[in-house]
Amino acid sequence: DSGLLHLDQTQKINQAKTLIEKASAMFPQSVKIWKLWINFETDLQAIGRVRSVLDKALLKNPKSEELYLTGF
């Protein structure tokens, strides 16, 4: 049933988001984790969340040229 498949996919996406959020809280200076989260949200086409995550990442890593370039 496609409804069950969609529900399973949604649960996996939510689990992945939870893990990425926890990882970013545990390792806020990890540019790799922030970029992983940004790319994850980009793949989901969640542009508002991409901007929100990028803003949080830059607050935690204001000197990261790599994160600034991610926004372009």
Side-chain angles (χ1 to χ4, degrees), residues 2-38:
S2 64
L4 289 176
L5 182 61
H6 179 71
L7 179 62
D8 185 51
Q9 184 178 14
T10 301
Q11 288 174 335
K12 288 179 181 179
I13 288 170
N14 289 336
Q15 289 172 342
K17 282 184 189 182
T18 298
L19 288 173
I20 295 170
E21 288 174 11
K22 287 180 180 180
S24 69
M26 290 176 65
F27 306 101
Q29 274 68 47
S30 174
V31 172
K32 283 186 177 185
I33 291 172
W34 288 108
K35 286 188 70 175
L36 177 70
W37 192 357
I38 291 164

